[in-house]
Amino acid sequence: MASSTVTVVVQSRGKTIRKLPKEVQIATDASTQEIYNRLAEASGYSIHRLRITKAADRSVVPNTKESTVEGTGLKDKAVLHVKDLGPQISWRTVFIIEYLGPLLIPALVLYPFRPFVYFNFDTIPQPSDVQRIVCALLTLHFLKREYETVFVHRFSNATMPARNIVKNSGHYWLLAGCNIAYWVFRPDAAAAKSVSPALIYGGLALYVFGELANFNTHLVLRDLRRPGTTERGIPSGFGFSAVTCPNYFFEVVSWVGVYLVSGLSWSVLVFTVVAAAQMALWAQKKERRYRKEFGDKYKRKKFSMLPGLI
């Protein structure tokens, strides 16, 4: 049986989109992604720059092959609002740029830039063994993140507003990069003096455990989504029975390890607390999404990130 065709009315929402057609005819069994493709081609914009909503209830028309025009409830003469989200940048590119700063800054501050960063000290001794260890831990952590960004993560959203990259990068470049590197690598820092072996070895143990467990969690999450799709499965495995987002928990464990090795540097603690607070919000949001998306199939978690706390 041949599919029918509907005509939808198209209107700009907010900033006027030039060349946007006033109407589009489309088959009822066509995917809603086809609407994005047609409007993107006509307007000259990327499909990721457009957000299409139904005027009737303001619900978003999904940009996916899995959703059909008929399944979305679009009828003949239905009105669609199209919003220009502005210049976009891929999430993968954003992550690569975010992590590049704290990946390079510690080694630069500790070695070639050391005489210039700490010019106000009468004498600048060579970095201590502990400072070198902290630098290695920071470098390995963000090198791992870059690897995961390129080879492991599968993103549910292809892009984000390009202007957000300044805000996102600032958190890592300044707080994780410049802040930690400057204070931990100072000639008078705790890490430049004698740090208790208990702190060093205990911190290294937490760091290694946290990094490996975090990486394992990311592999589990990756395998829940087929390449090229946005569908999600219910995660299970090591850590998932205790909290919603064990990847965030293990991330915190890893940073506590860095904090111990650094000789309890307040700069590492500040970054860890700020990062944990943000991850806690993301974890709580994800728990609510799992409950809504999977219903009774999902075993609700009492704690979203930190067992016994949050």
Side-chain angles (χ1 to χ4, degrees):
M1 181 177 178
S3 63
S4 59
T5 300
V6 295
T7 299
V8 292
V9 179
V10 181
Q11 299 175 353
S12 295
R13 182 182 177 187
K15 180 181 177 181
T16 301
I17 302 176
R18 297 179 61 184
K19 300 182 181 180
L20 191 70
K22 294 183 178 180
E23 292 184 344
V24 170
Q25 288 186 332
I26 192 164
T28 55
D29 61 354
S31 70
T32 49
Q33 187 178 76
E34 180 62 24
I35 300 178
Y36 280 84
N37 290 335
R38 299 267 290 275
L39 295 182
E41 183 179 1
S43 64
Y45 285 1
S46 163
I47 60 172
H48 302 302
R49 185 167 173 164
L50 304 177
R51 175 184 291 164
I52 304 175
T53 56
K54 294 189 292 184
D57 57 9
R58 296 186 178 180
S59 62
V60 175
V61 177
N63 178 15
T64 175
K65 295 179 180 179
E66 284 72 36
S67 176
T68 65
V69 172
E70 184 177 26
T72 309
L74 290 174
K75 307 295 183 182
D76 195 50
K77 297 302 179 182
V79 178
L80 295 179
H81 288 162
V82 183
K83 182 177 178 61
D84 174 15
L85 299 176
Q88 301 288 298
I89 187 171
S90 75
W91 274 97
R92 199 176 305 278
T93 301
V94 170
F95 279 14
I96 290 174
I97 294 174
E98 282 181 0
Y99 302 148
L100 186 61
L103 171 63
L104 300 178
I105 290 172
L108 291 174
V109 171
L110 188 61
Y111 297 110
F113 294 169
R114 186 173 177 81
F116 308 103
V117 173
Y118 303 114
F119 66 91
N120 55 324
F121 284 84
D122 294 332
T123 59
I124 305 176
Q126 290 297 310
S128 70
D129 289 341
V130 172
Q131 288 176 321
R132 295 178 193 274
I133 292 173
V134 173
C135 182
L137 297 183
L138 296 173
T139 301
L140 288 173
H141 175 79
F142 287 104
L143 190 62
K144 166 181 165 291
R145 283 200 170 189
E146 294 283 30
Y147 175 85
E148 291 171 339
T149 297
V150 176
F151 298 107
V152 177
H153 293 324
R154 291 173 183 161
F155 301 93
S156 55
N157 295 318
T159 64
M160 67 177 290
R163 64 180 180 275
N164 287 356
I165 194 170
V166 176
K167 176 186 67 176
N168 289 26
S169 296
H171 169 74
Y172 287 103
W173 284 59
L174 297 179
L175 205 56
C178 297
N179 166 61
I180 292 178
Y182 177 79
W183 293 105
V184 174
F185 301 153
R186 279 172 60 100
D188 60 352
K193 305 170 185 178
S194 178
V195 178
S196 166
L199 289 180
I200 295 175
Y201 292 116
L204 287 174
L206 288 178
Y207 176 86
V208 172
F209 169 77
E211 293 292 322
L212 293 177
N214 175 269
F215 182 70
N216 175 71
T217 305
H218 286 160
L219 293 178
V220 171
L221 293 173
R222 178 200 62 181
D223 293 340
L224 293 176
R225 178 178 294 142
R226 290 182 301 170
T229 71
T230 58
E231 65 178 14
R232 301 182 181 92
I234 299 176
S236 61
F238 182 65
F240 285 101
S241 60
V243 294
T244 310
C245 299
N247 51 320
Y248 297 156
F249 169 60
F250 297 136
E251 177 89 0
V252 173
V253 169
S254 178
W255 278 105
V256 170
V258 177
Y259 172 62
L260 296 180
V261 175
S262 71
L264 309 181
S265 171
W266 65 266
S267 62
V268 179
L269 181 61
V270 167
F271 174 76
T272 302
V273 170
V274 171
Q278 179 61 71
M279 288 187 289
L281 295 177
W282 291 336
Q284 291 167 353
K285 182 178 180 181
K286 186 164 290 188
E287 172 66 19
R288 291 193 294 268
R289 192 186 73 204
Y290 282 160
R291 293 181 180 185
K292 180 179 179 181
E293 184 174 354
F294 299 113
D296 294 337
K297 295 180 181 179
Y298 175 69
K299 184 178 180 181
R300 299 188 173 196
K301 305 295 190 306
K302 183 176 181 181
F303 303 108
S304 58
M305 189 181 81
L306 298 179
L309 293 176
I310 302 174

